[in-house]
Amino acid sequence: MKKQILLLLVVSFMFSCSNDEGNLETELIGKWKLIEVLADPGDGSGTFQPVRSNKTIEFKSDGTLTTNNSLCDPYSDEVISSGTYHNNTITTGCQDPNISTISFELNNQYLILNFISNEGYSQKLEKIN
């Protein structure tokens, strides 16, 4: 009886984990537009500020993404407009180690890209389709 209960718990746990990742991917797929930037001066006091931008990032169901700008922005003049994503991480292919991977999170209806930075730099995007 104990083995059956344990087996049932393990199977339930496996299905609940895969559903969470599937939901994240479903919410992520589509086109996102940059609307705000957070540039912290290094003391934790930074807040998101509105920006005028035409930068968009499109997440596709096959684990790839494209942008109409460069993923290497804001730290580099290198132009790479496509990458991959998996487990809340974007792999850019940019030479700078600060932007070769970018972590991201979904926060309510916003996508937050968190760049590696001593002072803190993030971009907030809103889904447009």
Side-chain angles (χ1 to χ4, degrees), residues 92-129:
T92 65
C94 302
Q95 296 298 312
D96 186 332
N98 287 331
I99 49 180
S100 61
T101 59
I102 303 166
S103 68
F104 67 86
E105 60 187 284
L106 286 176
N107 187 343
N108 296 320
Q109 74 269 24
Y110 301 109
L111 171 66
I112 310 295
L113 303 181
N114 297 306
F115 293 80
I116 297 172
S117 169
N118 291 336
E119 292 80 27
Y121 181 82
S122 298
Q123 295 179 343
K124 183 185 286 186
L125 297 97
E126 183 175 54
K127 197 168 195 176
I128 56 176
N129 70 11

Side-chain angles (χ1 to χ4, degrees), residues 9-73:
L9 288 173
V10 169
V11 170
S12 297
F13 180 72
M14 288 174 29
F15 284 109
S16 68
C17 291
S18 62
N19 286 342
D20 290 345
E21 189 173 319
N23 289 340
L24 172 65
E25 184 176 305
T26 301
E27 292 178 45
L28 190 60
I29 294 171
K31 191 176 277 191
W32 298 79
K33 182 177 180 179
L34 177 64
I35 58 168
E36 294 181 3
V37 172
L38 181 143
D40 193 276
D43 61 5
S45 66
T47 59
F48 278 101
Q49 299 296 314
V51 293
R52 288 186 147 179
S53 174
N54 67 350
K55 180 179 182 174
T56 60
I57 297 176
E58 184 174 2
F59 289 81
K60 300 177 181 180
S61 61
D62 65 357
T64 62
L65 60 94
T66 57
T67 180
N68 64 347
N69 209 307
S70 177
L71 290 171
C72 302
D73 178 64

